[in-house]
Amino acid sequence: MAAPRSHSDSLQTPELDLLRTHSLEARNSSYSPYSNFRVGAAILHPDGSITTGANIENASYPVGICAERVAITRAVMEGKVRAVGAKEEDAKFGGLGTGIKALGVAVDTEGASPCGMCRQFIREFMPLDGEIIMFGNDGEYKVATLQELLPLSFGPDSLPSSDEMLQIRRQQ
Amino acid sequence: MAAPRSHSDSLQTPELDLLRTHSLEARNSSYSPYSNFRVGAAILHPDGSITTGANIENASYPVGICAERVAITRAVMEGKVRAVGAKEEDAKFGGLGTGIKALGVAVDTEGASPCGMCRQFIREFMPLDGEIIMFGNDGEYKVATLQELLPLSFGPDSLPSSDEMLQIRRQQ
Amino acid sequence: MAAPRSHSDSLQTPELDLLRTHSLEARNSSYSPYSNFRVGAAILHPDGSITTGANIENASYPVGICAERVAITRAVMEGKVRAVGAKEEDAKFGGLGTGIKALGVAVDTEGASPCGMCRQFIREFMPLDGEIIMFGNDGEYKVATLQELLPLSFGPDSLPSSDEMLQIRRQQ
Amino acid sequence: MAAPRSHSDSLQTPELDLLRTHSLEARNSSYSPYSNFRVGAAILHPDGSITTGANIENASYPVGICAERVAITRAVMEGKVRAVGAKEEDAKFGGLGTGIKALGVAVDTEGASPCGMCRQFIREFMPLDGEIIMFGNDGEYKVATLQELLPLSFGPDSLPSSDEMLQIRRQQ
Ligand SMILES: [Zn+2]
Ligand SMILES: [Zn+2]
Ligand SMILES: [Zn+2]
Ligand SMILES: [Zn+2]
């Protein structure tokens, strides 16, 4: 079925309601004096807990950080989205796909999708089949998986180590 | 037909060859002492001319700029991808989709796709049905349109003006 | 006295010890499989509480976020660094300088300073005379104020509103 | 003498005039429909040639690129700011400080300084004693060296290789 959909395949109604409430509420923490475009984000963790984020802008526009990335950085700091048991050698991949069941995003307009930079940031921490729920101001939403929003992604497995690349580079 | 494809729908063989040659060659301008991952990019303009880019890294990793974005900034500066005749009021949208026929990207490995941040940057200047050609070190390639790589994009039309958003915000 | 200094002018010994402990400890939350360069950061709030951050990298290097910025986004979300009582009209400036007494940064080497992008991000939320304490792996440190690290800064007061700029632009 | 100064120590009058003309003129290439804050930049190379840049914004504000960085990426692509003769092993440092005699920045207001992110990007390619000339709309200017704008910088020599850091990290 083509994205976006108007229903979630992975969330039950109470989970969706929780994500909506927190995504919309998170907009209140937005620091967006330049665009006035408030964005709230919320991560639903497998244990039912929530981590929120909001966009934080800067006088130098490129220095600001979107809501989705703020939510994920918080979750990483709180130990909720990184594989703790991974061997150090595996850490590069071990962090993937752990601890994010779904990600909600809410705006003051009819709805918006994560920008490409956020899709890329999310890629490192959320499974490709994880759902992203995009809420409008009225709570209406659309749903797409990360794979649908970032197909053919450039992920950790696309990038050999700096040392491996140096060998390859020298052979060119 | 599902992306990626192994052929281009929009380019003739000589155009594809031109894009490949320039994308691969552009890797030589890469400044990538941190990842050692050289990336070259090339824009094919409607008039048959080419603008190239390469990734330029920084000791503070987030400050570096990818090859695709370097190519586009150069093309903007050279007046090749922005609608010159647009009224100032229309400039926000007038720049879209003008002057990029296809974008090539080349790496030292078997091939890689543009990161999400670049897909977002490209979105502002390339038509959604424009093709992105992803070349591996041996010249083999895969093809996908921007729409396929960045579906449900957050573009200029997703963002009301700062002034409009201020009115909306005050009503919340 | 020229920066950096080897002592803090604003912190008492217990505060400095607290900042050191948390900055060094925060490195354990670092997700840095690409650089392997772990960075921890800690904010000391006026009430004596601490908010920490660590660097979070991405396969697309420019998409990663430094430790200092992670710490500040968390503090913003927790309501610790933004002026709550500011009028909406004043919010642009009201957020400045509230809630950050000092910022600590710790690395695995002999010490390092915040990158320019972080200095710019911090600028929006920390007073210019606030101290940044840069810790090496052994706990030794150097001190400089934000003003010393980012003189002649481009801050919120450097940027007229988008609407004001439009008027100015039309007169050029 | 304290920064900023109202005169250049390194440029002769014709050089300064050239930099002013090109910095102000480059604003015309700005794509800034979101901030309406046009910025132009110009690099003066040792051979007397000029490379220009302008800010290029994006609907997702953090994805845009400032004028100073656009100018430098162009110069890198044109082979003007990177040490060509450096050994591959030295490339990390060899690129530094070559080919930029001075950098000009011009805005539509009374003058503005480069943001911290740009200071960091410039750091990789310009000598620390290189001058940055900040022009206002009327051509008046202020001058500061990169060292003055980004003291205690985090540069290439602050960052051991990923492989070295891995060894250090394992010993923690
Ligand atoms: Zn985003
Ligand atoms: Zn990219
Ligand atoms: Zn930083
Ligand atoms: Zn900048």
Side-chain angles (χ1 to χ4, degrees), chain D residues 69-82:
Chain D
R69 288 180 281 144
V70 167
I72 289 183
T73 60
R74 289 182 82 197
V76 169
M77 289 309 296
E78 289 163 17
K80 290 192 168 174
V81 306
R82 192 172 167 200

Side-chain angles (χ1 to χ4, degrees), chain A residues 29-31 34 52-54 56 58-59 63 70 73-74 76-78 82 92 120-121 124-125 154-156 159, chain C residues 29-31 34 53-54 56 58-59 63 70 73-74 76-78 82 92 117 120-121 124-125 154-156 159:
Chain A
S29 296
S30 168
Y31 175 72
Y34 306 106
T52 58
I56 301 181
N58 190 276
V63 174
V70 167
T73 59
R74 288 182 83 197
V76 168
M77 290 309 296
E78 288 162 20
R82 192 172 167 202
K92 181 173 174 178
Q120 180 69 41
F121 192 82
E124 202 94 14
F125 296 105
F154 183 87
L159 187 66
Chain C
S29 296
S30 168
Y31 175 72
Y34 306 107
I56 301 182
N58 191 275
V63 174
V70 167
T73 60
R74 289 182 82 198
V76 169
M77 290 309 297
E78 289 162 18
R82 195 175 164 197
K92 181 173 176 180
M117 189 179 189
Q120 180 68 41
F121 192 82
E124 203 92 14
F125 296 105
F154 183 87
L159 187 66

Side-chain angles (χ1 to χ4, degrees), chain A residues 120 154, chain B residues 65-69 113-119, chain C residues 60 62-63:
Chain A
Q120 180 69 41
F154 183 87
Chain B
I65 306 182
C66 302
E68 300 92 319
R69 288 180 280 144
S113 58
C115 81
M117 188 178 189
C118 285
R119 297 178 193 192
Chain C
S60 174
V63 174

Side-chain angles (χ1 to χ4, degrees), chain B residues 29-31 34 52-54 56 58-59 63 70 73-74 76-78 82 92 120-121 124-125 154-156 159, chain D residues 29-31 34 52-54 56 58-59 63 70 73-74 76-78 82 92 120-121 124-125 154-156 159:
Chain B
S29 296
S30 168
Y31 176 71
Y34 306 107
T52 58
I56 301 180
N58 191 276
V63 174
V70 167
T73 59
R74 289 182 82 199
V76 168
M77 289 309 296
E78 289 162 18
R82 192 175 167 200
K92 182 172 176 180
Q120 180 70 39
F121 192 81
E124 202 93 13
F125 295 105
F154 183 86
L159 186 66
Chain D
S29 296
S30 168
Y31 176 72
Y34 306 107
T52 58
I56 301 181
N58 190 276
V63 174
V70 167
T73 60
R74 289 182 82 197
V76 169
M77 289 309 296
E78 289 163 17
R82 192 172 167 200
K92 181 173 176 179
Q120 180 69 40
F121 192 82
E124 201 94 15
F125 296 105
F154 182 86
L159 186 67

